[in-house]
Amino acid sequence: MKLLALESSGLVASAAIVDDDVLIAEYTTDFKKTHSQTLLPMIDEIVRMTDTDLNSIDAIAVSAGPGSFTGLRIGAATAKGLCLALNKPIIAVPTLDALVYGVGPTEKLVVPIMDARRNQVYTKLNDVSTAMDMHELIAELNKIGREVVFLGDGVPVYRDQIEAELKVSHSYAPAHLNRQRAASLGALALTLEPMNADGFAPEYLRKSQAEREREEKENNTGNVR
């Protein structure tokens, strides 16, 4: 199966073409530009450089969340638009699963952490993707007692807290493994079932910051009354 894979769930923007077990091309950036500026030009570049006819793609894989609300929406809209234009199915890949998949087999406990603000992270623990307080995550890891490998954009945000509170042996994934990559997403997508693009929607796990602020404002207004 030949896939176009798109990753835009966090700060990283990444696009790749994967053909069975061969990575044909990958374009990844972790720079301060919006995904609306980067994703389509990246797709255009890897398609042009590899002389790929998008009609030869069997499906389009996209990060399904959790992650940045804006990033996930841009990725979803881009993937669905291409799928509908090319009459191709979509493969929804859980963001945290793809992060862990990139590390490969290990006896250590691989713990992805994506910064969700307010001392919250998106993580995958005991095969469950969830949003949780970083203090609670560290306490749970201390209870489990296994050696941990951390990765994700939450690492630089919470590294001091990890060093201060985590009692078990731990390390951090190296640069080529510690962020989302379309290549890892595409490789994992090959093990998943395609679906009709019309039925795809990202999984956010939490309400957006705008929604939370609106609810807080409404609650405060109600309390005043």
Side-chain angles (χ1 to χ4, degrees):
M1 180 180 282
K2 190 175 185 180
L3 302 177
L4 172 65
L6 307 178
E7 169 55 69
S8 62
S9 62
L11 297 175
V12 171
S14 186
I17 298 172
V18 179
D19 193 353
D20 288 330
D21 60 349
V22 178
L23 174 62
I24 303 298
E26 182 182 32
Y27 192 156
T28 299
T29 62
D30 186 358
F31 194 67
K32 299 173 183 178
K33 289 188 177 181
T34 64
H35 297 318
S36 60
Q37 294 175 290
T38 56
L39 206 55
L40 284 173
M42 292 165 77
I43 295 169
D44 181 67
E45 182 68 11
I46 61 173
V47 166
R48 183 182 63 81
M49 287 293 292
T50 60
D51 293 324
T52 298
D53 180 354
L54 282 177
N55 288 296
S56 69
I57 297 291
D58 296 301
I60 296 175
V62 65
S63 186
S68 157
F69 290 84
T70 301
L72 289 172
R73 286 168 181 159
I74 291 171
T78 302
K80 291 178 76 169
L82 288 170
C83 285
L84 294 173
L86 298 168
N87 194 29
K88 304 293 182 180
I90 200 167
I91 302 177
V93 183
T95 306
L96 297 169
D97 289 11
L99 259 172
V100 173
Y101 193 79
V103 175
T106 176
E107 295 299 317
K108 300 175 183 178
L109 181 60
V110 180
V111 179
I113 51 172
M114 296 175 63
D115 184 23
R117 308 275 178 90
R118 299 187 179 187
N119 210 58
Q120 295 269 317
V121 293
Y122 298 119
T123 189
K124 188 177 180 67
L125 197 61
N126 299 322
D127 293 325
V128 177
S129 295
T130 185
M132 66 189 302
D133 182 85
M134 192 63 194
H135 293 294
E136 294 177 2
L137 174 60
I138 293 172
E140 185 63 27
L141 293 174
N142 282 331
K143 188 185 303 181
I144 293 171
R146 289 176 57 191
E147 185 174 356
V148 178
V149 177
F150 289 102
L151 70 163
D153 61 26
V155 168
V157 179
Y158 298 104
R159 186 163 183 160
D160 288 346
Q161 187 175 335
I162 292 169
E163 294 300 325
E165 299 178 19
L166 189 64
K167 297 178 175 62
V168 298
S169 178
H170 58 280
S171 59
Y172 303 92
H176 66 296
L177 300 176
N178 66 14
R179 295 292 188 275
Q180 297 94 316
R181 288 185 59 180
S184 298
L185 184 140
L188 180 56
L190 291 170
T191 70
L192 304 175
E193 288 296 322
M195 62 182 289
N196 190 294
D198 285 333
F200 168 69
E203 182 179 3
Y204 298 111
L205 289 186
R206 295 178 62 198
K207 295 178 181 178
S208 69
Q209 182 176 348
E211 290 173 312
R212 296 196 303 273
E213 289 176 352
R214 184 179 67 247
E215 288 181 357
E216 289 175 5
K217 184 177 180 180
E218 291 172 349
N219 290 336
N220 290 336
T221 301
N223 291 334
V224 170
R225 291 175 184 173

